[in-house]
Amino acid sequence: MTFLISRALADPNADVRGRMINAGIMIIDRHGRDNVSLLFPIFENYLNKKASDEEKYDLVREGVVIFTGALAKHLAKDDPKVHAVVEKLLDVLNTPSEAVQRAVSSCLSPLMPSKQDDAAALVSRLLDQLMKSEKYGERRGAAFGLAGVVKGFGLSSLKKYGVVAVLREGFADRNSAKSREGALLAFECLCEYLGRLFEPYVIQMLPLLLVSFSDQVIAVREAAECAARAMMSQLSAQGVKLVLPSLLKGLEDKAWRTKQSSVQLLGAMAYCAPQQLSQCLPKIVPKLTEVLTDTHPKVQLAGQTALQQVGSVIKNPEISSLVPTLLMGLTDPNDYTKYSLDILLQTTFINSIDAPSLALLVPIVHRGLRERSADTKKKAAQIVGNMCSLVTEPKDMIPYIGLLLPEVKKVLVDPIPEVRSVAARAIGSLIRGMGEENFPDLVPWLFDTLKSDNSNVERSGAAQGLSEVLAALGTDYFETVLPDIIRNCSHQKASVRDGYLTLFKYFPRSLGVQFQNYLQLVLPAILDGLADENESVRDAALGAGHVLVEHYATTSLPLLLPAVEDGIFNDNWRIRQSSVELLGDLLFKVAGTSGKALLEGGSDDEGASTEAHGRAIIEVLGRDKRNEVLAALYMVRTDVSITVRQAALHVWKTIVANTPKTLKEIMPVLMNTLITSLASASSERRQVAGRALGELVRKLGERVLPLIIPILSQGLKDPDASRRQGVCIGLSEVMASAGKSQLLSFMDELIPTIRTALCDSVPEVRESAGLAFSTLYKSAGMQAIDEIVPTLLHALEDDETSDTALDGLKQILSVRTTAVLPHILPKLVHRPLSAFNAHALGALAEVASPGLNYHLGTILPALLSAMGGNDVDVQPLAKEAAETSVLVIDEEGIEPLISELLKGVADSEASIRRSSSYLIGYFFKNSKLYLVDEAPNMISTLIILLSDTDSATVAVAWEALSMVVNSVPKEVLPSYIKLVRDAVSSARDKERRKKKGGPIVIPGFSLPKALQPLLPIFLQGLISGSAELREQAALGLGELIEVTSEQSLKQFVIPITGPLIRIIGDRFPWQVKSAILSTLSIMIRKGGIALKPFLPQLQTTFIKCLQDNTRTVRSSAALALGKLSALSSRVDPLVSDLLSSLQASDSGVREAILSALKGVVKHAGKSVSPATRTRIYTLLKDLIHHDDDQVRMFASSILGVISQYMEESELSDLLQELLDLSSSSSWADRHGAVLTLFSLLRHNPSTIFMSPECPSILLRLKSSLKDEKFPLRETSTKALGRLLLYQVQSDPLNTTALLDVLSSVLSALRDDSSEVRRRALSAIKAASKANPSVIMTHLSLIGPALAECLKDSSTPVRLAAERCALHSFQLTKGTENVQAGQKYITGLDARRIAKFTEHSDDSDESEDEQASS
């Protein structure tokens, strides 16, 4: 201690003195407690000592006082020496030396427990000196003393003795700068000595400190800066959190002074403890950077100063030297960002980067990442990547991740690949340096971007980044995600596939040799990607393939080469193209060439390779593998895709120096490859191999043919069918490529080879042999046919070879139809047709297709005959062959086919007609050709065939008709109505000729569903046609119904009647209505009870038509209504309606109503009640002498019908009345009476004949024969004829009565009226037909009269006389009757009339009946 005091404390150097004082204090602290009694006297001695150089000795004295203070803390608490020491220490505080004052302050603190009683005074004394002393040193000393005292008394003394309050007042004292400065000095020392204990007061006094920064007095401002430094250096992490928001908020204040103060305080934060500094700098520096652009220069200056303060605490020497540059980059980012980044990249860092360095670097790097310049972005990303490896603590980077990572992500998806690459490496470095846990969202973001629909660039960047990240995360993590990556390579979305395949492009670079272990898993996904439908996916896969080859060509050749070889033979041309390119890369790598030489011009065989390249390839691959690879490559030089061809040619020319020589070396392997490929299931591969073989033959011609053809011929013996097929395809190509002259010398080998192949057991081989035959035919012509076809035809006869020979024929026929068909057909159609020949015809027809058009005349007759033949084995085969034949023709074959079928339909053999009909139906049903134009002819033919004598033919024709009609569009059908009517008429006539009388029904319309084929034609016309067409349709329907059996008609009654009723109710011309009514009448007659559902509608319709303006419609309606009434059980209402209408109608309608009434009474008279009959009788009795002839006729006719149901007395009265009328002077009365008598005799002859009035009636009729009025004479003749007919039928033995009537009828033959004469002849004819023997007994009376009539001038009379003579003389019953008749008529007439058929006049009789009724 003596040494320290005497020598060290007097040292002129203040720093030495300060260090020595500290050393002394440490000694006292360590050993003072044990040596108090020894040291105190020494110290007191030095203090009381006088020296010659007082000024110098004062330095010693100060030091001793400090030593004394340090020793005093070892004294007892109540030791009086302590007070003296404290006083001395307080005096020394005024020494203007910071080191001394600091030492005194440290000494005071431990002594304070002894001064508790004087605490208030002591604190007050120091505060007073602090605020009021004139000297700065004294104020500074007071501040240190106060800090030491407060520390000694404890933190509570601040409040207890009002220290903080006094300091606040000092801060706020605007009048005294010394007070403000003193308060700041105290604040600084308190912060320094109390440390974090003072933190709560720091927060309170922060606003006062901020104000002090903008104080007008420099000394105050400087004190504020020192206070701020002290405060910041002592702040805890929590303190920083509390202080920082206030300061940052101050930056937003409008007052520039506040801003300036906040900036200065923020600058002071550079003096925080290292841990707090790294925490707050990321928030401070960006704000300070913003301040640099403030509008107020002083604020800007404060910002620069603050940043310099941050720079001043940087410990890294490299960064420290760059601070000015970095500050320029922060101050003027536009001009200096790039420069700063360049400087940083040029700097070699030996020391690690601390937090303040990062604070200055990061804003510049952040700015660089956001620049437009790619170069700047690249440099910034590079620095980001390097940062992690340079920082002292990786966690120092954590605050900046949120700022930098979004920008690095943006750079990662930059359009420029180099920039993306640097950014990817930067992200990898960040993950590697800081761990994945600090980037929780990065890997998911990379995967999401990889799947995004955005641009390829973004996906590529994400892939690159992800590859670096996965490399950084280690093998285990990579193996976890690899299955998911491979799975997504086949994702349904193209963008996802693209992104994930792009990953494989970057893995080799990021993972290096390590990735080699996963090639086996990855290669299939890449090869699949090469065939993707999306171009960007294909590009990604190809890019990945190129990179794999680039990195692993030598190390993983056994793995890569097979995959690429398989790709060359893939069905997808894109995979082939990519595989060729990758194979090229592999071979270039192996050969040691770049493969980038431009091979323009020259032939395909002129390459850019050298022998050395070839040797290198053989050395690495081995000769066999090299031959296989080159064979495959040569084959795809002729690929169907031009891009594949170009790629293969480029590779070939790059690695093959001498093409002819190389081909000779690889020929066996090449042929093997080609034959295998020619037999491939892939059509494209076969085509490629064929073209390659063709090119080989074209280029090397005669040099290779002797080698190739024997190999191919031998290949047919190969047990593998697919290889035999390949041989056939190869032969085709060889023959197509070789010249004709070259081939001729090989015909002896070629023809047997193809012949053998055509009879091969496997269909595919035969098919390919057929194509080879076609090629052979081009060169050999008829020689090929002459040497091959006969052999095949001969083989057809052998059961063992027939099937294969037939297929062989089919194959050559499919390629050379016109040339071969004429040779084959004559042999096959030889009759009788065998089962095999029928099968062969069908098979060949299928192949010949339209080539059959002109051979139908040869084939069809044989097939039609066989279809209907007796051989049950041949029938189905012939049928199948015929079906095939009719379906294979094209438009040109329609006419010859139809012609043949029509010939068949007209054939005399039923079986051929049947077969032809079937084929017509089959053709129209199944053919895809347009046949509407042919349909009418077929429909007409088939309808006529419905009346065929063969029932089976009828059924087949009906089926065929259905099919033909169904093949025609609905809208066309109505145009066939006239044609169908004509055809039905022809069929009816044909049937009539067969039947010779009686009702005519066409057999085809007696089948079940008989009308189904034709009904649509008529109904379509009826519903949608023109008025004329509707009329035709209605008439046609009627004609159709007439020839349809009642049984078959039943199911069609409703479908026909409904539309007819609907149409007749509309406003159509009378012709349509008349036709419909006519058809409905026929339907009522034939349909009968099946019409019951329509009775009310029909009755209403007919009654309505009775009122029509047209007579024809009215007549038809009346007729139909009469027939309809037969179906009704209650006719009284109908009769009542008619009678009511009769009284209120005009003449035309009256006739129609009377006609209808007659029909009702005639058909349903039994159903009419007596009262209604009486009403009819009463009304009509008055009408028989009506002025209108027609009314009289209808009235008399109706009376005749109802007479059957009249009482005897009533009838007797009527007869009496008629007899009276018949002698009336009015001819109308007479006419009416005779008409009624005729009607009575017609409908009720027996009752009249037996009545007492009969003789009077006969007399009246006789007298009427002489009446001057012709109608009376005609009607009397008809009445007498009825009387005669009844007489010969019921009482032929009453000769007198018979002769009486007969003589009256004969007298009519001399009447002036030809009509009366004709009626008399008809009466005699009817009697002759009813009882020929009776009439023949009276020939002496009849004969002369007939002879006269045969010479009558009137043709109708002569014709009637001929018919009458036919039956009267019974001329058809034998020659003796002819001879007997010659007594009265000439022999010529007798023989001529005898030739008439007995029923030839039936239609005439029915007409007479109609007229008389």
Side-chain angles (χ1 to χ4, degrees):
M1 289 305 292
T2 306
F3 164 74
L4 279 173
I5 295 167
S6 59
R7 298 291 298 275
L9 293 182
D11 196 276
N13 188 292
D15 191 37
V16 172
R17 288 200 305 276
R19 287 176 183 270
M20 290 301 180
I21 289 170
N22 288 337
I25 291 169
M26 286 176 74
I27 292 167
I28 293 165
D29 284 347
R30 182 76 58 85
H31 305 289
R33 187 178 293 280
D34 301 329
N35 299 293
V36 173
S37 58
L38 175 68
L39 291 174
F40 242 109
I42 296 170
F43 293 162
E44 283 182 347
N45 182 37
Y46 271 103
L47 286 172
N48 298 327
K49 191 177 177 182
K50 299 288 181 185
S52 56
D53 189 351
E54 274 298 322
E55 192 176 336
K56 189 177 181 182
Y57 193 71
D58 277 348
L59 298 173
V60 175
R61 203 175 281 125
E62 284 170 9
V64 173
V65 169
I66 292 167
F67 289 160
T68 306
L71 187 61
K73 65 183 173 208
H74 298 298
L75 294 171
K77 197 173 181 183
D78 52 355
D79 196 313
K81 287 181 183 175
V82 172
H83 299 287
V85 171
V86 170
E87 282 301 322
K88 284 178 182 176
L89 287 171
L90 290 174
D91 288 343
V92 173
L93 270 179
N94 295 330
T95 306
S97 163
E98 189 174 329
V100 172
Q101 289 170 344
R102 203 176 282 279
V104 170
S105 179
S106 300
C107 294
L108 280 172
S109 298
L111 304 177
M112 285 306 107
S114 304
K115 295 289 287 180
Q116 286 289 353
D117 298 338
D118 304 329
L122 183 58
V123 170
S124 177
R125 174 182 162 188
L126 287 168
L127 284 171
D128 193 55
Q129 187 179 338
L130 180 71
M131 299 295 180
K132 295 175 181 172
S133 179
E134 291 296 324
K135 292 181 180 177
Y136 170 77
E138 291 177 6
R139 291 199 301 280
R140 180 82 171 155
F144 274 114
L146 183 64
V149 167
V150 169
K151 188 177 180 183
F153 287 138
L155 194 65
S156 59
S157 62
L158 284 171
K159 191 172 183 184
K160 187 175 180 182
Y161 305 119
V163 175
V164 174
V166 173
L167 291 179
R168 277 180 178 278
E169 287 170 13
F171 273 124
D173 190 349
R174 293 289 95 197
N175 298 322
S176 170
K178 291 172 183 172
S179 297
R180 298 199 296 279
E181 186 186 12
L184 286 164
L185 291 171
F187 185 76
E188 178 189 352
C189 293
L190 285 168
C191 285
E192 190 177 326
Y193 277 81
L194 297 178
R196 292 179 185 175
L197 294 173
F198 191 60
E199 226 171 64
Y201 297 100
V202 166
I203 308 305
Q204 291 176 27
M205 298 175 82
L206 187 64
L208 300 170
L209 185 61
L210 276 170
V211 172
S212 302
F213 269 105
S214 53
D215 201 279
Q216 291 175 345
V217 180
I218 294 172
V220 176
R221 292 203 295 274
E222 286 173 352
E225 286 175 19
C226 293
R229 274 196 209 103
M231 176 185 85
M232 294 302 177
S233 66
Q234 296 299 326
L235 276 182
S236 65
Q238 184 61 28
V240 169
K241 282 182 187 173
L242 292 169
V243 168
L244 202 52
S246 304
L247 298 180
L248 294 176
K249 194 173 180 185
L251 292 179
E252 294 167 15
D253 201 291
K254 289 182 180 176
W256 69 269
R257 288 183 187 280
T258 311
K259 273 192 199 175
Q260 183 187 13
S261 307
S262 299
V263 168
Q264 287 169 321
L265 257 179
L266 284 171
M269 287 188 107
Y271 301 100
C272 284
Q275 190 178 351
Q276 278 72 39
L277 187 65
S278 63
Q279 182 187 333
C280 66
L281 280 179
K283 293 179 185 172
I284 294 171
V285 174
K287 291 292 181 182
L288 291 178
T289 310
E290 288 175 20
V291 166
L292 295 175
T293 57
D294 197 85
T295 52
H296 202 286
K298 288 193 177 180
V299 177
Q300 286 182 16
L301 186 63
Q304 287 174 351
T305 309
L307 285 170
Q308 283 165 356
Q309 285 176 299
V310 173
S312 69
V313 295
I314 288 172
K315 293 188 176 70
N316 179 291
E318 292 88 8
I319 298 286
S320 188
S321 64
L322 296 178
V323 167
T325 306
L326 297 178
L327 290 178
M328 282 163 63
L330 291 172
T331 311
D332 190 357
N334 290 335
D335 294 338
Y336 288 101
T337 298
K338 186 173 182 298
Y339 173 71
S340 304
L341 293 172
D342 286 341
I343 296 291
L344 281 168
L345 283 172
Q346 289 163 16
T347 305
T348 305
F349 287 91
I350 298 164
N351 302 284
S352 58
I353 298 175
D354 54 2
S357 305
L358 276 179
L360 291 184
L361 283 177
V362 169
I364 294 172
V365 173
H366 181 250
R367 170 74 187 209
L369 289 171
R370 293 168 64 192
E371 284 285 322
R372 278 190 177 183
S373 160
D375 192 39
T376 308
K377 281 191 277 194
K378 192 165 70 172
K379 288 172 181 174
Q382 206 172 335
I383 292 169
V384 171
N386 294 340
M387 274 183 186
C388 271
S389 55
L390 293 173
V391 290
T392 318
E393 286 286 331
K395 64 183 179 185
D396 286 347
M397 277 289 287
I398 293 172
Y400 301 105
I401 288 173
L403 182 70
L404 291 176
L405 191 59
E407 299 308 324
V408 176
K409 281 181 181 177
K410 288 178 189 170
V411 176
L412 186 61
V413 294
D414 192 85
I416 297 167
E418 286 178 40
V419 177
R420 295 201 297 274
S421 182
V422 174
R425 286 200 293 277
I427 284 181
S429 298
L430 288 173
I431 291 273
R432 203 175 281 110
M434 300 177 66
E436 189 198 0
E437 63 278 1
N438 288 311
F439 302 89
D441 300 327
L442 179 60
V443 174
W445 175 81
L446 287 168
F447 275 116
D448 288 345
T449 310
L450 206 59
K451 296 177 184 176
S452 71
D453 291 335
N454 300 337
S455 67
N456 287 359
V457 169
E458 289 189 18
R459 291 195 291 273
S460 175
Q464 210 164 347
L466 190 58
S467 69
E468 294 288 346
V469 167
L470 292 177
L473 292 174
T475 310
D476 291 344
Y477 190 90
F478 175 72
E479 286 178 356
T480 309
V481 297
L482 184 60
D484 190 52
I485 291 170
I486 291 170
R487 190 167 55 254
N488 277 302
C489 287
S490 55
H491 195 275
Q492 59 186 15
K493 280 181 72 176
S495 57
V496 177
R497 298 197 298 277
D498 176 24
Y500 278 87
L501 280 167
T502 308
L503 264 177
F504 297 134
K505 189 174 174 181
Y506 299 113
F507 279 147
R509 292 168 190 166
S510 60
L511 294 169
V513 182
Q514 194 181 347
F515 188 60
Q516 198 169 315
N517 304 330
Y518 308 104
L519 284 182
Q520 217 155 0
L521 296 170
V522 167
L523 274 174
I526 292 175
L527 290 173
D528 287 346
L530 293 174
D532 201 273
E533 60 196 16
N534 186 283
E535 191 175 354
S536 68
V537 177
R538 295 196 300 272
D539 291 345
L542 185 58
H546 282 309
V547 172
L548 290 183
V549 169
E550 179 69 28
H551 280 74
Y552 308 117
T554 49
T555 55
S556 297
L557 190 65
L559 193 62
L560 291 171
L561 192 57
V564 172
E565 275 188 285
D566 288 347
I568 289 177
F569 296 116
N570 198 284
D571 288 352
N572 191 302
W573 70 267
R574 293 192 173 98
I575 290 188
R576 295 202 298 276
Q577 180 195 350
S578 309
S579 300
V580 168
E581 288 180 23
L582 294 176
L583 178 65
D585 285 359
L586 270 172
L587 294 176
F588 299 156
K589 201 86 173 165
V590 167
T593 177
S594 70
K596 291 179 182 173
L598 288 173
L599 305 171
E600 292 180 1
S603 75
D604 288 354
D605 300 332
E606 290 177 13
S609 181
T610 63
E611 293 293 337
H613 291 157
R615 284 196 298 276
I617 292 171
I618 292 172
E619 194 175 319
V620 175
L621 299 184
R623 188 171 292 276
D624 291 346
K625 178 52 79 174
R626 170 264 204 173
N627 289 354
E628 283 178 31
V629 169
L630 288 185
L633 190 59
Y634 185 81
M635 192 179 98
V636 289
R637 276 178 41 154
T638 54
D639 199 273
V640 289
S641 164
I642 188 168
T643 50
V644 179
R645 292 203 298 273
Q646 288 170 343
L649 189 59
H650 174 77
V651 176
W652 178 271
K653 289 170 78 174
T654 307
I655 59 165
V656 173
N658 185 332
T659 297
K661 181 184 173 187
T662 307
L663 283 175
K664 204 165 186 181
E665 289 174 12
I666 68 169
M667 183 61 75
V669 179
L670 177 59
M671 285 304 295
N672 188 44
T673 303
L674 290 175
I675 288 174
T676 305
S677 297
L678 287 167
S680 164
S682 162
S683 61
E684 277 196 5
R685 186 172 171 187
R686 292 199 300 272
Q687 195 178 347
V688 171
R691 286 165 66 160
L693 191 55
E695 188 189 357
L696 200 60
V697 172
R698 275 195 301 279
K699 285 195 173 171
L700 301 176
E702 291 174 356
R703 281 185 285 173
V704 293
L705 278 177
L707 293 172
I708 291 173
I709 290 177
I711 292 174
L712 291 172
S713 298
Q714 196 62 31
L716 270 186
K717 295 174 185 169
D718 197 300
D720 184 352
S722 61
R723 286 184 66 81
R724 296 202 299 277
Q725 184 187 2
V727 166
C728 294
I729 298 169
L731 279 170
S732 291
E733 288 297 335
V734 168
M735 290 187 291
S737 304
K740 192 171 181 179
S741 56
Q742 290 175 330
L743 285 179
L744 288 174
S745 54
F746 295 100
M747 282 299 165
D748 292 343
E749 283 183 69
L750 288 172
I751 289 176
T753 303
I754 292 172
R755 192 164 56 217
T756 307
L758 282 168
C759 292
D760 197 274
S761 58
V762 178
E764 289 78 9
V765 178
R766 296 197 294 272
E767 185 182 344
S768 301
L771 294 170
F773 171 83
S774 176
T775 315
L776 179 67
Y777 178 78
K778 286 180 189 171
S779 299
M782 288 308 293
Q783 184 188 351
I785 292 176
D786 293 341
E787 292 195 27
I788 290 177
V789 172
T791 309
L792 293 174
L793 289 172
H794 185 67
L796 286 178
E797 295 167 10
D798 186 339
D799 290 344
E800 288 183 16
T801 59
S802 58
D803 287 339
T804 54
L806 173 60
D807 197 57
L809 278 173
K810 278 172 66 178
Q811 298 307 331
I812 63 173
L813 197 58
S814 67
V815 291
R816 288 286 164 190
T817 308
T818 49
V820 179
L821 209 55
H823 287 71
I824 301 174
L825 288 182
K827 187 173 178 67
L828 293 179
V829 297
H830 186 69
R831 299 190 201 182
L833 214 59
S834 68
F836 180 79
N837 283 8
H839 169 62
L841 279 172
L844 295 178
E846 197 173 337
V847 182
S849 296
L852 211 61
N853 289 349
Y854 306 106
H855 300 282
L856 290 170
T858 309
I859 295 174
L860 275 184
L863 289 174
L864 289 170
S865 176
M867 279 171 72
N870 298 323
D871 191 331
V872 290
D873 295 331
V874 178
Q875 275 180 0
L877 294 168
K879 181 180 176 186
E880 194 177 328
E883 287 173 352
T884 306
S885 301
V886 299
L887 290 186
V888 297
I889 63 161
D890 60 10
E891 284 84 354
E892 291 182 13
I894 294 174
E895 194 176 332
L897 174 63
I898 297 291
S899 171
E900 284 302 320
L901 292 174
L902 288 174
K903 274 187 207 169
V905 167
D907 198 272
S908 57
E909 278 189 47
S911 63
I912 292 180
R913 295 201 299 277
R914 194 160 55 245
S915 302
S916 301
S917 300
Y918 169 77
L919 274 187
I920 289 171
Y922 184 85
F923 177 52
F924 274 83
K925 183 181 180 183
N926 297 292
S927 177
K928 301 288 186 290
L929 300 172
Y930 182 77
L931 299 173
V932 173
D933 296 339
E934 312 301 327
N937 194 7
M938 290 295 109
I939 290 171
S940 181
T941 303
L942 290 169
I943 290 172
I944 294 168
L945 208 58
L946 292 178
S947 61
D948 197 89
T949 48
D950 179 57
S951 59
T953 304
V954 169
V956 174
W958 184 86
E959 288 284 351
L961 181 62
S962 295
M963 292 174 189
V964 175
V965 173
N966 287 339
S967 73
V968 178
K970 261 189 177 181
E971 58 275 12
V972 180
L973 290 176
S975 62
Y976 297 161
I977 289 173
K978 185 176 185 314
L979 169 139
V980 172
R981 286 184 69 195
D982 292 345
V984 170
S985 176
S986 299
R988 185 178 63 227
D989 292 345
K990 189 175 170 185
E991 194 61 29
R992 181 185 285 125
R993 285 194 293 277
K994 277 193 291 179
K995 217 168 180 193
K996 298 181 179 176
I1000 296 163
V1001 173
I1002 295 173
F1005 297 134
S1006 300
L1007 299 169
K1009 299 185 180 177
L1011 298 182
Q1012 201 169 47
L1014 299 181
L1015 200 55
I1017 296 173
F1018 292 112
L1019 290 182
Q1020 195 69 23
L1022 196 65
I1023 292 162
S1024 60
S1026 62
E1028 190 181 345
L1029 206 56
R1030 288 175 201 261
E1031 181 189 359
Q1032 293 291 323
L1035 292 171
L1037 269 175
E1039 291 160 4
L1040 201 58
I1041 294 163
E1042 280 281 20
V1043 293
T1044 305
S1045 70
E1046 291 178 9
Q1047 186 61 35
S1048 300
L1049 184 63
K1050 275 182 184 174
Q1051 63 177 306
F1052 296 103
V1053 168
I1054 291 172
I1056 294 173
T1057 311
L1060 287 172
I1061 293 172
R1062 193 159 64 251
I1063 299 298
I1064 201 172
D1066 291 342
R1067 294 180 178 177
F1068 286 109
W1070 67 268
Q1071 291 92 335
V1072 177
K1073 291 185 179 179
S1074 175
I1076 291 173
L1077 287 167
S1078 168
T1079 300
L1080 284 172
S1081 292
I1082 298 166
M1083 179 61 89
I1084 292 163
R1085 175 160 51 82
K1086 295 205 75 168
I1089 200 69
L1091 277 169
K1092 195 99 177 170
F1094 290 109
L1095 275 180
Q1097 289 165 276
L1098 286 170
Q1099 192 168 298
T1100 308
T1101 302
F1102 293 157
I1103 290 173
K1104 187 179 175 185
C1105 287
L1106 288 176
Q1107 307 289 331
D1108 199 89
N1109 296 330
T1110 311
R1111 180 186 177 88
T1112 313
V1113 174
R1114 294 197 300 270
S1115 303
S1116 300
L1119 198 63
L1121 188 58
K1123 290 177 181 175
L1124 183 70
S1125 62
L1127 305 176
S1128 180
S1129 52
R1130 291 179 65 250
V1131 292
D1132 281 4
L1134 173 60
V1135 173
S1136 298
D1137 285 350
L1138 289 173
L1139 291 174
S1140 302
S1141 302
L1142 184 64
Q1143 291 167 314
S1145 54
D1146 58 20
S1147 59
V1149 175
R1150 192 185 300 122
E1151 284 175 27
I1153 292 170
L1154 285 168
S1155 175
L1157 188 59
K1158 176 190 168 187
V1160 171
V1161 173
K1162 180 180 174 185
H1163 294 101
K1166 287 181 184 175
S1167 304
V1168 179
S1169 64
T1172 306
R1173 269 202 302 274
T1174 306
R1175 192 177 163 201
I1176 295 169
Y1177 171 68
T1178 309
L1179 185 63
L1180 294 184
K1181 199 168 62 168
D1182 295 336
L1183 292 178
I1184 59 173
H1185 40 79
H1186 196 278
D1187 294 341
D1188 191 320
D1189 292 0
Q1190 290 297 325
V1191 172
R1192 289 199 300 278
M1193 287 169 72
F1194 277 118
S1196 60
S1197 187
I1198 294 166
L1199 282 173
V1201 175
I1202 63 166
S1203 67
Q1204 299 169 70
Y1205 312 108
M1206 286 168 68
E1207 297 292 330
E1208 202 174 315
S1209 59
E1210 200 176 8
L1211 184 59
S1212 181
D1213 291 345
L1214 174 62
L1215 288 172
Q1216 194 58 54
E1217 193 173 333
L1218 291 172
L1219 288 169
D1220 294 344
L1221 271 174
S1222 62
S1223 56
S1224 169
S1225 58
S1226 164
W1227 92 270
D1229 290 352
R1230 296 198 306 277
H1231 186 222
V1234 174
L1235 278 170
T1236 307
L1237 287 171
F1238 162 67
S1239 183
L1240 290 169
L1241 284 167
R1242 183 178 173 220
H1243 294 291
N1244 196 9
S1246 58
T1247 312
I1248 306 301
F1249 197 74
M1250 300 303 292
S1251 71
E1253 288 84 5
C1254 186
S1256 305
I1257 291 170
L1258 183 59
L1259 286 172
R1260 182 51 58 202
L1261 290 173
K1262 281 181 182 178
S1263 67
S1264 293
L1265 280 176
K1266 300 181 180 100
D1267 199 282
E1268 59 183 6
K1269 294 287 186 182
F1270 143 72
L1272 260 87
R1273 300 201 302 278
E1274 184 195 6
T1275 308
S1276 297
T1277 305
K1278 280 159 58 178
L1280 287 166
R1282 281 287 165 186
L1283 207 53
L1284 176 64
L1285 182 61
Y1286 181 77
Q1287 192 92 39
V1288 299
Q1289 282 176 332
S1290 57
D1291 192 14
L1293 300 175
N1294 188 346
T1295 311
T1296 311
L1298 181 66
L1299 281 172
D1300 191 13
V1301 177
L1302 182 60
S1303 59
S1304 299
V1305 173
L1306 287 171
S1307 69
L1309 289 175
R1310 296 186 292 276
D1311 196 272
D1312 294 340
S1313 166
S1314 62
E1315 190 58 30
V1316 173
R1317 297 198 298 276
R1318 193 178 71 79
R1319 290 288 183 191
L1321 286 165
S1322 293
I1324 296 166
K1325 181 185 75 172
S1328 301
K1329 285 173 83 172
N1331 196 342
S1333 57
V1334 172
I1335 296 300
M1336 288 208 50
T1337 56
H1338 299 290
L1339 278 181
S1340 55
L1341 289 173
I1342 297 167
L1346 271 176
E1348 285 299 317
C1349 288
L1350 282 170
K1351 301 169 190 168
D1352 200 289
S1353 59
S1354 167
T1355 302
V1357 173
R1358 283 201 309 277
L1359 291 172
E1362 287 172 358
R1363 299 290 187 281
C1364 185
L1366 180 73
H1367 294 287
S1368 299
F1369 297 133
Q1370 292 290 296
L1371 295 175
T1372 57
K1373 296 291 192 276
T1375 51
E1376 64 277 8
N1377 289 353
V1378 175
Q1379 287 168 356
Q1382 287 176 7
K1383 287 181 187 177
Y1384 308 103
I1385 59 175
T1386 63
L1388 184 64
D1389 280 343
R1391 286 192 297 278
R1392 180 173 61 80
I1393 294 166
K1395 290 176 183 175
F1396 291 175
T1397 58
E1398 200 170 344
H1399 301 287
S1400 62
D1401 57 346
D1402 285 355
S1403 58
D1404 296 342
E1405 278 183 29
S1406 62
E1407 284 169 21
D1408 285 348
E1409 283 289 314
Q1410 287 291 106
S1412 61
S1413 63

